[in-house]
Amino acid sequence: MNILLVGSGGREHALAWKIAQSPLLTRLVAAPGNPGMAALCETRKVGPTDVDGLVALAGEIAADLVVIGPEVSVAAGLADALQGAGVPCFGPTAQAGQLESSKAFTKAFADRYGLPTAAYVICEDPASARAALDRFEPPYVVKADGLAAGKGVVVAATRAEAEAAIDDALGGRFGAAGARVVIEEFLEGEIGSLFALCDGKDSMLFGWAQDHKRAFDGEQGPNTGGMGTYSPAPVFTPELVEQVRTRLVEPAFAGIAADGAPYRGVLFVELMATRHGPKLVEFNVRFGDPECQVLMLRLESDLVPYLLACANGTLAQTPQPVWRDEAAACVVVAAKGYPETPKSGGEIRGLEQDFGPDVVVFHAGTARDEDGALRAAGGRVLNVCAKGADLKAALAGAYGAIDRIDFADGFFRRDIGWRALAR
Ligand code: AMP
Ligand code: GLY
Protein backbone atom coordinates (compact mmCIF):
# COMPACT_ATOMS: atom_id res chain seq x y z
CA MET A 1 0.00 0.00 0.00
CA ASN A 2 1.01 3.58 -0.63
CA ILE A 3 0.16 5.92 2.22
CA LEU A 4 0.26 9.70 2.39
CA LEU A 5 0.51 11.01 5.97
CA VAL A 6 -0.34 14.68 6.51
CA GLY A 7 1.28 16.69 9.30
CA SER A 8 4.59 17.53 10.92
CA GLY A 9 4.25 17.20 14.69
CA GLY A 10 5.20 14.62 17.28
CA ARG A 11 1.82 12.97 16.73
CA GLU A 12 2.59 12.46 13.05
CA HIS A 13 6.13 11.25 13.76
CA ALA A 14 4.59 8.63 16.07
CA LEU A 15 2.05 7.64 13.40
CA ALA A 16 4.83 7.41 10.79
CA TRP A 17 6.95 5.27 13.15
CA LYS A 18 4.07 2.84 13.63
CA ILE A 19 2.91 2.83 9.98
CA ALA A 20 6.52 2.20 8.87
CA GLN A 21 6.41 -1.11 10.81
CA SER A 22 3.39 -2.37 8.88
CA PRO A 23 3.89 -5.37 6.58
CA LEU A 24 1.13 -3.89 4.42
CA LEU A 25 3.22 -0.82 3.58
CA THR A 26 4.91 -0.30 0.21
CA ARG A 27 5.57 3.43 0.32
CA LEU A 28 5.04 6.10 2.97
CA VAL A 29 5.20 9.79 2.11
CA ALA A 30 4.77 12.49 4.76
CA ALA A 31 3.70 16.04 3.91
CA PRO A 32 5.35 18.15 5.08
CA GLY A 33 6.87 15.88 7.78
CA ASN A 34 9.75 16.87 10.04
CA PRO A 35 13.43 15.93 10.37
CA GLY A 36 12.57 12.93 12.54
CA MET A 37 10.06 11.64 10.02
CA ALA A 38 12.58 12.23 7.20
CA ALA A 39 14.69 9.45 8.72
CA LEU A 40 11.74 7.03 8.40
CA CYS A 41 10.06 7.92 5.13
CA GLU A 42 9.96 10.31 2.19
CA THR A 43 8.86 13.86 2.97
CA ARG A 44 7.40 16.46 0.61
CA LYS A 45 7.09 20.18 1.19
CA VAL A 46 3.31 20.44 0.94
CA GLY A 47 1.60 22.18 3.85
CA PRO A 48 -1.31 20.75 5.86
CA THR A 49 -3.88 23.25 4.54
CA ASP A 50 -2.75 23.13 0.90
CA VAL A 51 -5.74 20.99 -0.07
CA ASP A 52 -5.11 21.10 -3.83
CA GLY A 53 -1.43 20.32 -3.33
CA LEU A 54 -2.21 17.35 -1.07
CA VAL A 55 -4.85 15.93 -3.43
CA ALA A 56 -2.33 16.23 -6.29
CA LEU A 57 0.37 14.53 -4.19
CA ALA A 58 -2.02 11.69 -3.31
CA GLY A 59 -2.61 11.23 -7.04
CA GLU A 60 1.08 11.40 -7.89
CA ILE A 61 2.04 8.65 -5.45
CA ALA A 62 -1.12 6.62 -6.21
CA ALA A 63 -2.05 6.75 -2.52
CA ASP A 64 -4.29 3.91 -1.35
CA LEU A 65 -4.88 5.85 1.85
CA VAL A 66 -4.39 9.38 3.13
CA VAL A 67 -4.00 9.74 6.89
CA ILE A 68 -4.83 13.21 8.24
CA GLY A 69 -2.90 14.14 11.38
CA PRO A 70 -3.80 17.72 12.36
CA GLU A 71 -7.12 19.48 12.87
CA VAL A 72 -6.18 22.32 10.51
CA SER A 73 -6.30 19.89 7.56
CA VAL A 74 -9.72 18.65 8.67
CA ALA A 75 -11.02 22.22 8.98
CA ALA A 76 -9.57 23.06 5.54
CA GLY A 77 -11.76 20.33 3.99
CA LEU A 78 -9.03 17.88 2.99
CA ALA A 79 -11.23 14.82 3.58
CA ASP A 80 -14.00 16.37 1.48
CA ALA A 81 -11.61 17.04 -1.41
CA LEU A 82 -10.11 13.53 -1.23
CA GLN A 83 -13.60 12.03 -1.21
CA GLY A 84 -14.33 14.02 -4.37
CA ALA A 85 -11.13 12.64 -5.92
CA GLY A 86 -11.99 9.06 -4.88
CA VAL A 87 -9.02 8.64 -2.52
CA PRO A 88 -9.68 6.70 0.73
CA CYS A 89 -9.06 8.97 3.68
CA PHE A 90 -8.65 8.57 7.44
CA GLY A 91 -10.06 11.79 8.86
CA PRO A 92 -13.47 13.45 8.99
CA THR A 93 -15.09 15.99 6.68
CA ALA A 94 -15.01 19.69 7.52
CA GLN A 95 -18.65 19.49 8.63
CA ALA A 96 -17.93 16.70 11.14
CA GLY A 97 -14.76 18.59 12.03
CA GLN A 98 -16.82 21.37 13.59
CA LEU A 99 -16.85 19.17 16.69
CA GLU A 100 -13.40 20.60 17.24
CA SER A 101 -13.24 23.81 15.24
CA SER A 102 -16.11 25.48 17.11
CA LYS A 103 -16.71 25.11 20.83
CA ALA A 104 -20.08 26.85 20.37
CA PHE A 105 -21.09 24.24 17.77
CA THR A 106 -20.03 21.44 20.11
CA LYS A 107 -21.97 22.84 23.05
CA ALA A 108 -25.14 23.07 20.94
CA PHE A 109 -24.46 19.55 19.61
CA ALA A 110 -24.07 18.22 23.15
CA ASP A 111 -27.39 19.82 24.14
CA ARG A 112 -29.13 18.45 21.06
CA TYR A 113 -28.03 14.87 21.66
CA GLY A 114 -27.96 14.81 25.46
CA LEU A 115 -24.20 14.52 26.01
CA PRO A 116 -23.17 15.46 29.56
CA THR A 117 -21.03 18.62 29.59
CA ALA A 118 -20.45 21.77 31.66
CA ALA A 119 -23.19 24.43 31.80
CA TYR A 120 -22.21 27.35 29.56
CA VAL A 121 -22.94 30.74 28.01
CA ILE A 122 -21.69 31.95 24.61
CA CYS A 123 -20.88 35.66 24.28
CA GLU A 124 -19.75 37.92 21.46
CA ASP A 125 -18.99 41.13 23.32
CA PRO A 126 -17.05 41.90 26.51
CA ALA A 127 -20.00 43.48 28.35
CA SER A 128 -22.27 40.46 28.05
CA ALA A 129 -19.35 38.12 28.79
CA ARG A 130 -18.56 40.01 31.99
CA ALA A 131 -22.22 39.91 32.97
CA ALA A 132 -22.32 36.16 32.28
CA LEU A 133 -19.65 35.62 34.94
CA ASP A 134 -22.36 36.40 37.52
CA ARG A 135 -23.99 33.09 36.72
CA PHE A 136 -20.91 31.10 37.71
CA GLU A 137 -18.72 30.68 40.75
CA PRO A 138 -14.94 30.88 40.73
CA PRO A 139 -12.80 29.38 39.36
CA TYR A 140 -14.10 30.70 36.04
CA VAL A 141 -13.51 28.91 32.74
CA VAL A 142 -13.14 31.21 29.70
CA LYS A 143 -12.58 29.72 26.23
CA ALA A 144 -11.96 31.24 22.79
CA ASP A 145 -14.52 29.69 20.43
CA GLY A 146 -12.30 28.49 17.59
CA LEU A 147 -9.02 26.64 17.01
CA ALA A 148 -6.27 28.03 19.24
CA ALA A 149 -3.87 25.06 19.41
CA GLY A 150 -4.92 24.16 22.94
CA LYS A 151 -4.02 27.60 24.26
CA GLY A 152 -7.40 29.33 24.09
CA VAL A 153 -8.63 28.16 27.50
CA VAL A 154 -8.13 30.05 30.74
CA VAL A 155 -9.15 28.72 34.14
CA ALA A 156 -9.25 31.90 36.23
CA ALA A 157 -9.13 31.86 40.03
CA THR A 158 -10.49 35.40 40.33
CA ARG A 159 -13.04 37.56 38.59
CA ALA A 160 -10.33 40.04 37.54
CA GLU A 161 -8.39 37.26 35.84
CA ALA A 162 -11.54 36.03 34.11
CA GLU A 163 -12.31 39.53 32.84
CA ALA A 164 -8.76 39.88 31.55
CA ALA A 165 -9.13 36.54 29.72
CA ILE A 166 -12.40 37.73 28.16
CA ASP A 167 -10.79 40.97 26.97
CA ASP A 168 -7.80 39.05 25.69
CA ALA A 169 -9.87 36.58 23.65
CA LEU A 170 -12.42 39.09 22.33
CA GLY A 171 -9.62 41.61 21.75
CA GLY A 172 -8.19 39.50 18.95
CA ARG A 173 -5.42 37.49 20.61
CA PHE A 174 -6.62 34.36 18.80
CA GLY A 175 -7.75 36.11 15.61
CA ALA A 176 -11.03 34.80 14.24
CA ALA A 177 -10.91 31.97 16.81
CA GLY A 178 -11.67 34.55 19.49
CA ALA A 179 -14.67 36.21 17.85
CA ARG A 180 -16.83 34.50 20.48
CA VAL A 181 -16.06 33.24 23.95
CA VAL A 182 -17.60 30.38 25.85
CA ILE A 183 -17.89 30.81 29.61
CA GLU A 184 -18.59 27.60 31.40
CA GLU A 185 -19.00 25.85 34.69
CA PHE A 186 -15.78 24.63 36.32
CA LEU A 187 -15.76 20.84 36.40
CA GLU A 188 -14.15 19.25 39.42
CA GLY A 189 -12.43 15.95 38.79
CA GLU A 190 -9.65 14.19 36.96
CA ILE A 191 -9.00 14.83 33.28
CA GLY A 192 -8.74 12.03 30.70
CA SER A 193 -8.30 11.53 26.95
CA LEU A 194 -10.15 8.68 25.23
CA PHE A 195 -9.97 7.78 21.55
CA ALA A 196 -12.60 6.11 19.38
CA LEU A 197 -12.55 5.14 15.72
CA CYS A 198 -15.56 5.38 13.43
CA ASP A 199 -16.04 4.34 9.81
CA GLY A 200 -19.28 6.26 9.26
CA LYS A 201 -21.42 3.46 10.77
CA ASP A 202 -19.53 1.35 13.26
CA SER A 203 -17.21 2.48 16.01
CA MET A 204 -14.53 1.03 18.26
CA LEU A 205 -12.64 2.36 21.28
CA PHE A 206 -8.97 2.87 20.50
CA GLY A 207 -7.10 3.56 23.71
CA TRP A 208 -6.93 6.16 26.44
CA ALA A 209 -4.29 8.20 28.23
CA GLN A 210 -3.81 11.15 30.55
CA ASP A 211 -2.28 14.44 29.44
CA HIS A 212 -0.81 17.35 31.44
CA LYS A 213 -2.04 20.62 30.00
CA ARG A 214 -0.32 23.15 32.24
CA ALA A 215 3.15 24.35 31.33
CA PHE A 216 4.87 23.79 34.68
CA ASP A 217 5.17 21.25 37.48
CA GLY A 218 2.39 21.10 40.05
CA GLU A 219 -0.22 22.13 37.42
CA GLN A 220 1.09 25.69 37.38
CA GLY A 221 1.37 28.12 34.50
CA PRO A 222 -0.70 28.56 31.35
CA ASN A 223 -2.51 25.85 29.43
CA THR A 224 -0.52 24.36 26.59
CA GLY A 225 -1.14 21.82 23.83
CA GLY A 226 0.01 19.17 26.33
CA MET A 227 3.30 18.68 28.19
CA GLY A 228 3.32 14.93 28.70
CA THR A 229 1.18 11.80 28.69
CA TYR A 230 1.09 8.28 29.99
CA SER A 231 -0.93 5.16 29.38
CA PRO A 232 -2.54 3.19 30.90
CA ALA A 233 -3.93 5.84 33.27
CA PRO A 234 -5.71 4.60 36.41
CA VAL A 235 -8.45 7.25 36.07
CA PHE A 236 -9.83 5.02 33.29
CA THR A 237 -11.46 2.31 35.33
CA PRO A 238 -13.48 -0.20 33.27
CA GLU A 239 -16.61 1.52 34.60
CA LEU A 240 -15.50 4.96 33.42
CA VAL A 241 -14.54 3.62 29.98
CA GLU A 242 -17.97 2.05 29.61
CA GLN A 243 -19.68 5.29 30.69
CA VAL A 244 -17.66 7.31 28.20
CA ARG A 245 -18.54 4.84 25.45
CA THR A 246 -22.28 4.85 26.10
CA ARG A 247 -22.78 8.49 27.18
CA LEU A 248 -20.33 10.34 24.95
CA VAL A 249 -18.79 8.27 22.13
CA GLU A 250 -21.83 6.45 20.77
CA PRO A 251 -24.24 9.41 21.03
CA ALA A 252 -21.63 11.63 19.35
CA PHE A 253 -21.16 9.32 16.37
CA ALA A 254 -24.93 8.78 16.08
CA GLY A 255 -25.56 12.53 16.38
CA ILE A 256 -23.05 13.63 13.79
CA ALA A 257 -24.42 11.01 11.36
CA ALA A 258 -27.96 12.24 12.03
CA ASP A 259 -26.69 15.76 11.24
CA GLY A 260 -25.70 14.41 7.81
CA ALA A 261 -21.95 14.18 8.42
CA PRO A 262 -21.05 10.54 9.21
CA TYR A 263 -17.71 10.45 11.00
CA ARG A 264 -14.68 8.72 9.49
CA GLY A 265 -11.51 8.81 11.52
CA VAL A 266 -10.61 9.12 15.16
CA LEU A 267 -12.59 11.12 17.71
CA PHE A 268 -10.67 12.33 20.74
CA VAL A 269 -12.93 12.75 23.77
CA GLU A 270 -11.40 14.98 26.42
CA LEU A 271 -13.42 14.40 29.55
CA MET A 272 -13.55 15.20 33.20
CA ALA A 273 -14.22 12.22 35.46
CA THR A 274 -16.53 13.95 37.95
CA ARG A 275 -18.55 12.65 40.91
CA HIS A 276 -21.49 12.53 38.53
CA GLY A 277 -19.69 10.52 35.88
CA PRO A 278 -17.76 11.62 32.81
CA LYS A 279 -18.46 15.08 31.41
CA LEU A 280 -17.31 16.27 28.02
CA VAL A 281 -14.59 18.94 28.14
CA GLU A 282 -14.10 18.96 24.40
CA PHE A 283 -13.98 16.84 21.29
CA ASN A 284 -11.04 16.83 18.95
CA VAL A 285 -11.26 15.33 15.47
CA ARG A 286 -7.79 13.79 15.43
CA PHE A 287 -5.41 11.88 17.64
CA GLY A 288 -4.15 13.71 20.72
CA ASP A 289 -0.71 15.20 20.68
CA PRO A 290 1.11 13.87 22.76
CA GLU A 291 -1.46 11.15 23.59
CA CYS A 292 -0.90 9.47 20.22
CA GLN A 293 2.77 8.97 21.04
CA VAL A 294 2.10 6.75 24.06
CA LEU A 295 -0.71 4.89 22.29
CA MET A 296 1.61 4.02 19.40
CA LEU A 297 4.22 2.71 21.85
CA ARG A 298 1.62 0.49 23.47
CA LEU A 299 -0.19 -0.69 20.33
CA GLU A 300 0.80 -4.26 19.57
CA SER A 301 -1.50 -4.60 16.54
CA ASP A 302 -0.64 -3.25 13.12
CA LEU A 303 -2.10 0.28 12.92
CA VAL A 304 -2.72 0.33 9.16
CA PRO A 305 -5.76 -2.03 9.09
CA TYR A 306 -7.55 0.27 11.55
CA LEU A 307 -6.84 3.42 9.56
CA LEU A 308 -7.95 1.67 6.37
CA ALA A 309 -11.09 0.23 7.99
CA CYS A 310 -12.21 3.74 9.00
CA ALA A 311 -11.70 4.96 5.44
CA ASN A 312 -13.39 1.94 3.81
CA GLY A 313 -16.25 1.28 6.21
CA THR A 314 -14.99 -2.13 7.39
CA LEU A 315 -14.49 -1.52 11.10
CA ALA A 316 -17.13 -4.13 12.03
CA GLN A 317 -14.94 -6.83 10.41
CA THR A 318 -11.77 -5.62 12.16
CA PRO A 319 -10.74 -7.30 15.45
CA GLN A 320 -10.29 -5.25 18.61
CA PRO A 321 -6.79 -3.74 18.91
CA VAL A 322 -4.24 -5.51 21.12
CA TRP A 323 -2.30 -3.32 23.58
CA ARG A 324 1.00 -4.29 25.17
CA ASP A 325 0.73 -5.12 28.83
CA GLU A 326 3.27 -2.38 29.54
CA ALA A 327 3.18 1.30 30.42
CA ALA A 328 4.29 4.11 28.16
CA ALA A 329 5.18 7.70 29.01
CA CYS A 330 5.90 10.76 26.91
CA VAL A 331 7.67 13.86 28.23
CA VAL A 332 7.45 16.94 26.03
CA VAL A 333 10.55 19.10 25.79
CA ALA A 334 9.40 22.58 24.80
CA ALA A 335 11.33 25.67 23.80
CA LYS A 336 11.80 28.13 26.68
CA GLY A 337 9.02 30.70 26.59
CA TYR A 338 6.37 28.23 25.34
CA PRO A 339 3.40 28.67 25.08
CA GLU A 340 3.55 32.48 24.85
CA THR A 341 6.84 33.21 23.12
CA PRO A 342 8.85 30.05 22.41
CA LYS A 343 12.48 30.76 21.63
CA SER A 344 13.36 29.33 18.24
CA GLY A 345 16.71 28.34 16.84
CA GLY A 346 18.21 26.63 19.91
CA GLU A 347 20.50 23.76 18.91
CA ILE A 348 19.64 20.18 19.87
CA ARG A 349 22.43 17.62 20.13
CA GLY A 350 22.68 13.99 21.10
CA LEU A 351 19.65 12.47 19.39
CA GLU A 352 21.75 10.08 17.33
CA GLN A 353 22.85 8.05 20.36
CA ASP A 354 21.32 4.67 21.12
CA PHE A 355 18.85 5.12 23.98
CA GLY A 356 17.99 1.42 24.06
CA PRO A 357 15.00 -0.54 22.76
CA ASP A 358 12.39 1.02 25.07
CA VAL A 359 13.03 4.68 24.23
CA VAL A 360 11.82 6.57 21.17
CA VAL A 361 12.35 10.28 20.62
CA PHE A 362 9.74 11.82 18.36
CA HIS A 363 10.39 15.18 16.76
CA ALA A 364 7.76 17.91 16.96
CA GLY A 365 8.98 21.48 16.27
CA THR A 366 12.46 20.79 14.89
CA ALA A 367 14.22 21.87 11.70
CA ARG A 368 17.66 21.37 10.18
CA ASP A 369 19.68 24.45 9.32
CA GLU A 370 21.90 24.75 6.18
CA ASP A 371 24.71 23.00 8.00
CA GLY A 372 22.52 20.08 8.98
CA ALA A 373 22.35 21.04 12.67
CA LEU A 374 19.05 20.31 14.39
CA ARG A 375 17.34 23.38 15.83
CA ALA A 376 14.14 24.23 17.69
CA ALA A 377 11.47 25.50 15.29
CA GLY A 378 8.29 25.48 17.32
CA GLY A 379 6.79 25.50 20.81
CA ARG A 380 6.88 21.82 21.61
CA VAL A 381 10.17 20.56 20.22
CA LEU A 382 10.79 16.93 21.24
CA ASN A 383 8.63 14.13 22.63
CA VAL A 384 10.84 11.81 24.63
CA CYS A 385 8.93 8.55 25.04
CA ALA A 386 9.61 5.24 26.70
CA LYS A 387 7.82 2.05 27.57
CA GLY A 388 8.48 -0.12 30.59
CA ALA A 389 7.02 -2.80 32.84
CA ASP A 390 5.14 -0.12 34.77
CA LEU A 391 4.73 3.65 34.79
CA LYS A 392 7.77 4.21 37.00
CA ALA A 393 9.98 2.26 34.62
CA ALA A 394 8.57 4.10 31.60
CA LEU A 395 9.15 7.48 33.24
CA ALA A 396 12.67 6.48 34.28
CA GLY A 397 13.38 5.62 30.64
CA ALA A 398 12.05 8.92 29.32
CA TYR A 399 13.72 11.14 31.94
CA GLY A 400 16.97 9.16 31.62
CA ALA A 401 17.00 9.86 27.88
CA ILE A 402 16.28 13.58 28.40
CA ASP A 403 19.34 13.79 30.67
CA ARG A 404 21.44 12.62 27.73
CA ILE A 405 20.02 15.14 25.24
CA ASP A 406 21.70 18.52 24.94
CA PHE A 407 19.09 21.27 24.38
CA ALA A 408 19.96 24.26 26.53
CA ASP A 409 16.99 26.30 25.30
CA GLY A 410 14.44 23.65 26.28
CA PHE A 411 12.37 22.92 29.37
CA PHE A 412 10.11 20.08 30.46
CA ARG A 413 7.93 18.99 33.35
CA ARG A 414 9.47 16.66 35.88
CA ASP A 415 6.17 15.43 37.31
CA ILE A 416 4.49 13.64 34.42
CA GLY A 417 2.26 10.86 35.77
CA TRP A 418 1.98 12.40 39.26
CA ARG A 419 -1.72 11.57 39.60
CA ALA A 420 -1.07 7.87 39.00
CA LEU A 421 2.03 7.81 41.21
CA ALA A 422 0.11 9.52 44.06
CA ARG A 423 -2.59 6.82 44.17
P1 AMP B 1 -9.39 22.40 26.44
O1 AMP B 1 -8.55 23.25 25.53
O2 AMP B 1 -10.85 22.58 26.29
O3 AMP B 1 -8.92 21.00 26.38
O4 AMP B 1 -9.08 22.88 27.93
C1 AMP B 1 -7.77 22.92 28.42
C2 AMP B 1 -7.75 22.46 29.85
O5 AMP B 1 -8.49 23.34 30.67
C3 AMP B 1 -8.38 21.10 30.06
O6 AMP B 1 -7.49 20.07 29.84
C4 AMP B 1 -8.81 21.18 31.50
O7 AMP B 1 -7.72 20.85 32.34
C5 AMP B 1 -9.15 22.62 31.67
N1 AMP B 1 -10.60 22.81 31.52
C6 AMP B 1 -11.28 23.06 30.38
N2 AMP B 1 -12.60 23.18 30.62
C7 AMP B 1 -12.76 23.01 31.95
C8 AMP B 1 -13.90 23.01 32.83
N3 AMP B 1 -15.13 23.26 32.40
N4 AMP B 1 -13.67 22.78 34.14
C9 AMP B 1 -12.42 22.55 34.60
N5 AMP B 1 -11.33 22.54 33.84
C10 AMP B 1 -11.48 22.76 32.52
N1 GLY C 1 -2.91 16.87 24.03
C1 GLY C 1 -4.15 17.46 23.82
C2 GLY C 1 -4.45 17.76 22.43
O1 GLY C 1 -3.96 17.14 21.50
O2 GLY C 1 -5.22 18.66 22.19
Side-chain angles (χ1 to χ4, degrees), residues 114-116 190-196 203-209 235-253 267-274 276-283:
L115 279 61
E190 200 174 325
I191 198 88
S193 304
L194 180 139
F195 299 86
S203 64
M204 178 187 285
L205 298 188
F206 204 68
W208 38 90
V235 62
F236 284 105
T237 59
E239 185 194 9
L240 181 70
V241 170
E242 190 56 18
Q243 289 172 341
V244 178
R245 187 174 70 77
T246 56
R247 298 180 195 176
L248 292 170
V249 170
E250 288 178 352
F253 286 141
L267 183 70
F268 166 0
V269 183
E270 186 184 348
L271 61 106
M272 197 69 84
T274 75
H276 308 291
K279 294 212 177 174
L280 177 67
V281 173
E282 65 173 27
F283 285 126

Side-chain angles (χ1 to χ4, degrees), residues 81-163:
L82 289 165
Q83 214 166 8
V87 183
C89 170
F90 176 85
T93 59
Q95 190 187 339
Q98 288 180 91
L99 285 174
E100 173 163 1
S101 60
S102 168
K103 293 190 193 293
F105 172 87
T106 304
K107 283 295 193 182
F109 178 87
D111 285 351
R112 202 154 65 242
Y113 295 108
L115 279 61
T117 185
Y120 69 100
V121 181
I122 295 167
C123 306
E124 292 184 5
D125 66 278
S128 62
R130 280 159 187 261
L133 292 176
D134 293 340
R135 300 201 226 162
F136 299 93
E137 319 243 296
Y140 302 100
V141 182
V142 178
K143 303 185 170 185
D145 180 48
L147 293 179
K151 295 158 221 160
V153 175
V154 173
V155 179
T158 65
R159 178 139 190 151
E161 254 183 86
E163 292 185 352

